[in-house]
Amino acid sequence: MAKTEKTKGQILSDELLSKKENIFEKQAEKTKAIFDYAEGYKTFLDGAKTEREAVVELIAMAKQNGFSEWNLGEPVKRGGAYYYNNRGKNLFLFRVGSEDIACDGVRIMAAHIDSPRLDLKQNPVYEDAGMCFFKTHYYGGIKKYQWTAIPLALHGVVVLENGEEVTVKVGEDDGDPVFYINDLLPHLAQEQVTKPLGTAIPGEKLNLLVGGLPFADENVSDKIKLNVLAILNEKYGIKEDDFISAEISAVPAFKARDVGFDRAFIGAYGHDDRVCAYPIATAIFGTDDRKHTTLVILADKEEVGSDGNTGMNSRILCDVIDAISRSLGADPIRVRANSMCLSADVTAAYDPNFPDVYEQKNSSMISCGTAMCKYTGARGKSSTNDASAEFVGKVRKIFKDNGVAFQTSELGKIDLGGGGTVAKFISYLNIDTVDVGVPVISMHAPYEVVSKADLYSTYEAFCAFCKA
Ligand code: MN
Ligand code: MN
């Protein structure tokens, strides 16, 4: 028998058996496209470390791609491309298609643009033992010990007493100073290292080192604190009370970098969930489909439960769809019933360093493509959207018809934890929704890792969805 001929068993196993395949190996012809796409993503990441910065970056990209600003109540036109900026922290991008929106619905792609970080408290500044610190309150689920002893940058806004809003961004340029959370030296950590990881660094120890020069005046106390405030006042016009109306976050001062000799991976702060936000935005920017109405949602507040009026557990999504529908003379109830959504959020990639927490058959494997999670939640699927077999079947066919490599994913073993996404807030509006996103290594760490192949596969998945 010639070597090229397959046996009956081989043919049958090709046909019947499910397998996960490494995209770099099985779709090697895409390697250049995969690597090129990653360059744009890394640039985006470095400019968008907070939801506010992501909104600014994405609006600039939207304008370049012919999108114009729209507000609730304004008319929309068939063929138009619009963006809606909700309070500078939540962005909607949409194209109005030629099809009847009441029958065709809206193709929705949703990701979040907030990431775990350390927010400054409202009264953050104090001086102790020759050092000035800012007190922080962590935002989202973090392993606190990971945030000590690394360079941190400050990003955010301050609304001054007179109502003026100033932007703060320090620690990103090479010439900038950075900020730092002290940790205990191993020599004196004999007790600390015996504590569980979750309690060794309590939240109240996440204090940011911001200064050490005393103000030169014998007649004042807390000279270092005064000097820091004098610098802030000179640069931004800030007084201590202005922190009351500020949103300033400490984020890792790292840039996105390739990881590995072969550069297969990208290390960065905030892949969760900008690694999905970038693909859905570039998919809607680049699509040549003009039939369907497509909507991209870039949400805030996901890492703290999606509450608040810039999060997905808000009326705003419903209001936007209803406003578009009414402008086109369609019944919003029918529009939503006929819509479908890919909720684009990251999932946990199987990590061979920690095999005990994963059930390998149902975990997403790195570089094996975008990962579909039919359900998320915890324990007995608590708090999950759990997409229907019919909708999963539909999405699966879209991917198959367009050559998109994808895999399924569950977030680790049953009863070891769990997590949720914005999917349930969208399906609440009577919209078929399923989670699709990029597998991540070290999720929520100050420096997370993804595969360039999975990033690109996710982009391909959303391009296919836009025109399906
Ligand atoms: Mn996420
Ligand atoms: Mn997250």
Side-chain angles (χ1 to χ4, degrees), residues 112 114 116 272-273 302-303 345-346 443-444 448:
H112 67 92
D114 61 319
D272 178 7
D273 186 30
E302 195 279 340
E303 296 297 357
D345 206 345
V346 298
M443 194 194 296
H444 286 204
E448 305 168 313

Side-chain angles (χ1 to χ4, degrees), residues 32-46:
K32 188 180 181 310
I34 289 170
F35 275 67
D36 287 350
Y37 187 77
E39 291 307 304
Y41 172 56
K42 285 187 288 177
T43 306
F44 168 72
L45 274 180
D46 289 342

Side-chain angles (χ1 to χ4, degrees), residues 84-103:
Y84 171 60
N85 176 355
N86 177 20
R87 299 171 169 87
K89 300 168 74 163
N90 164 215
L91 186 69
F92 293 80
L93 306 163
F94 60 98
R95 289 185 183 278
V96 182
S98 56
E99 297 269 318
D100 176 6
I101 194 173
C103 303

